[in-house]
Amino acid sequence: MEKTINIKLRVWRQAGPKAKGRFETYELKNISTDSSFLEMMDILNEQLISEGKEPVAFDHDCREGICGMCSLYINGRPHGPDDRVTTCQLHMRKFKDGETITVEPWRSAGFPIIKDLIVDRSAFDKIIAAGGYISVSTGGVPDANAIPIPKEAADEAMDAASCIGCGACVAACKNGSAMLFVSAKVSHLALLPQGRVEAARRARNMVAKMDELGFGNCTNTGACEVECPKGISLANIARLNREFLKAKLKE
Amino acid sequence: MSSTLGSSIGKKLLMSISGLFLILFLVVHLTVNSFLLVPDGGDLFNAGAHFMATNPAVRVIEPLLALGFIIHILYGVKLTLENRRARGPERYASGKKTQGVSWASQNMLVLGITVAAFLVLHIANFWVKMKITGDPRLEHTTIEIGGVPTQVENAYALVNTTFSYLWIVVVYVIGAVGLAIHLSHGFWSAFQTIGFSNQLWRKRLTILGNIFAWIIGVGFSSIAILQYLFYQPN
Ligand code: HEM
Ligand code: SF4
Ligand code: FES
């Protein structure tokens, strides 16, 4: 049985990076509780277009929780009231009939607003470009399992690698720190032999880029971990600190 | 080196090392203070204070301790200001509903300032009087140290009189509780900062940190309260 709800949306509208923003309130009727949050936003935009108004700009791509493109700060939490999911995987069954839902962009100096709910997260790309990769020498295809990797290391690397770069960690952080993201990217490579080769340089360069781009200093509050849709652990930040300090000692 | 200590993790390293150093100092300080509760008219405490005042190691550690405080306070303020800038001027209209983030971890500067305010009174009460201006209550007294009668300053008398004022005791308790809350986050955080933590150690260090924090907090406050209530000559 399909259930529907009526809701009120308070959405942040801002014409451009320098424009002054404000909240607009919209009413939506008969929203299926089976629809996702972004489908609900699509319905809102259809409604706005049919009224001859400008639709709300928001980021999205895969809509299956793997690309990291969707964002939105919903009712006091990045990616909304559900735990361990991205906004595209959030469903309207998490909201009550008659509820007012406040939708805001990520707010952090490192993520300036482009328009409405879209923020510029290219700072993350710049951090990745500073070292979040391994240099591969081309040649024949190596044999599978030629390099043994302990199960625990493989598991932890896999967990760290599940970071999708959405930026919820920064959005949730009172210090505007990107440490959870950077630590996930440094960790998933540092844990594997292929990534170890460049581990010191990677930690140094990625942290330097993160600092240069104006992200804050981590004070270990842990809000990032709670709001991360992929459950990236604070243990990665400890590992990043270790990798970075070791790399600096070696200099 | 400058690029290390100028980086975000480097600045945190300074906070962590100075914080851990201050923690060590607290352990020594509380141990000596606990002598205040030995009901021997203050002889053991005076012996402890005499040892602390005359021991050459302490002469070296004292300026280090001052340096530790200065670094910790300067960098604490610097980090907090930088972090406010990184956060940006806008706040969320729908507030912050993230669950499970400790209050202490988000208010380290406020808690630190509480401790610092207490510290000013503390230094004025004791350190200035013992080291610089002197005080009539510090009149020499003779105690036996290792069977040898030795003339020492009567630090006990000064402490005992200071704790006869209720308002001073109240300020002490506020300072000690502020410190305990500061450490309930600071203890594990310092280890996380130097990289000594993982899933398992995080649990252990948080539990250990909370126990340590409240031993310190309850320890310092109870000594002041007990001195006020039960150790006053009438
Ligand atoms: C005996 C006194 C004190 C002790 C034992 C102490 C200990 C600590 C420890 C262990 C940390 C954690 C460091 C880390 O996260 O790596 C910390 C953080 C902090 N302390 Fe203190 N502290 C003391 C006094 C103060 C004072 C007087 C202030 C100043 C205004 C202060 C301000 C701060 C701030 C702002 C932080 C958070 C910094 C950050 O996490 O980046 N503390 N403290
Ligand atoms: S660490 Fe989590 S919250 Fe941060 S970018 Fe990666 S997936 Fe998003
Ligand atoms: S749109 Fe790809 S993760 Fe949400």
Side-chain angles (χ1 to χ4, degrees), chain A residues 15-70:
Chain A
K18 295 267 179 304
K20 205 174 137 43
R22 74 203 175 284
F23 280 102
E24 289 282 348
T25 308
Y26 308 104
E27 295 206 20
L28 284 182
K29 299 231 178 300
N30 300 323
I31 297 295
S32 163
T33 51
D34 290 341
S35 60
S36 76
F37 199 84
L38 295 187
E39 281 166 339
M40 180 277 292
M41 293 296 288
D42 294 337
I43 296 170
L44 167 67
N45 277 346
E46 295 289 343
Q47 189 174 311
L48 288 176
I49 290 167
S50 71
E51 291 166 5
K53 293 184 189 148
E54 171 106 359
V56 178
F58 63 92
D59 265 326
H60 62 109
D61 189 7
C62 71
R63 297 210 178 189
E64 53 186 11
I66 55 171
C67 75
M69 202 57 211
C70 58

Side-chain angles (χ1 to χ4, degrees), chain A residues 217-220, chain B residues 11-13 15-26 69 72-77 79-80 83 105 108-117 119 179 182-183 185-194:
Chain A
N217 312 289
C218 171
T219 64
N220 307 323
Chain B
K11 283 176 274 187
K12 281 297 316 262
L13 180 69
M15 278 315 278
S16 167
I17 302 292
S18 58
L20 288 172
F21 182 64
L22 295 179
I23 283 178
L24 275 183
F25 152 73
L26 287 179
F69 267 111
H72 194 80
I73 292 173
L74 286 183
Y75 272 81
V77 172
L79 281 168
T80 308
N83 288 347
S105 73
M108 289 300 272
L109 186 65
V110 174
L111 291 164
I113 290 171
T114 313
V115 176
L119 217 69
L179 180 58
H182 194 74
L183 291 175
H185 173 70
F187 188 92
W188 101 268
S189 178
F191 288 95
Q192 167 86 356
T193 299
I194 54 172

Side-chain angles (χ1 to χ4, degrees), chain A residues 73 76 104 107 109 171-175 211 214 216-220 225-227 233-234 238 241-242 244 248, chain B residues 3-4 7-8 12 79 82-83 86-87 90 92-98 106 185 189 192-193 195 197 199 202:
Chain A
Y73 195 90
E104 302 171 72
R107 292 204 185 279
C173 179
K174 83 178 240 300
N175 306 318
D211 291 350
N217 312 289
C218 171
T219 64
N220 307 323
E225 181 190 58
V226 177
E227 296 300 0
S233 157
L234 281 193
N241 290 338
R242 227 159 36 231
F244 178 83
K248 287 290 181 181
Chain B
S3 80
T4 307
S7 68
S8 57
K12 281 297 316 262
L79 281 168
E82 285 176 1
N83 288 347
R87 183 91 189 85
E90 304 283 352
Y92 291 114
S94 55
K96 286 191 128 202
K97 307 228 164 64
T98 303
Q106 298 181 296
H185 173 70
S189 178
Q192 167 86 356
T193 299
S197 186
Q199 306 266 36
R202 177 177 175 195

Side-chain angles (χ1 to χ4, degrees), chain A residues 67-78:
Chain A
C67 75
M69 202 57 211
C70 58
S71 53
L72 305 188
Y73 195 90
I74 304 160
N75 280 355
R77 294 182 63 188

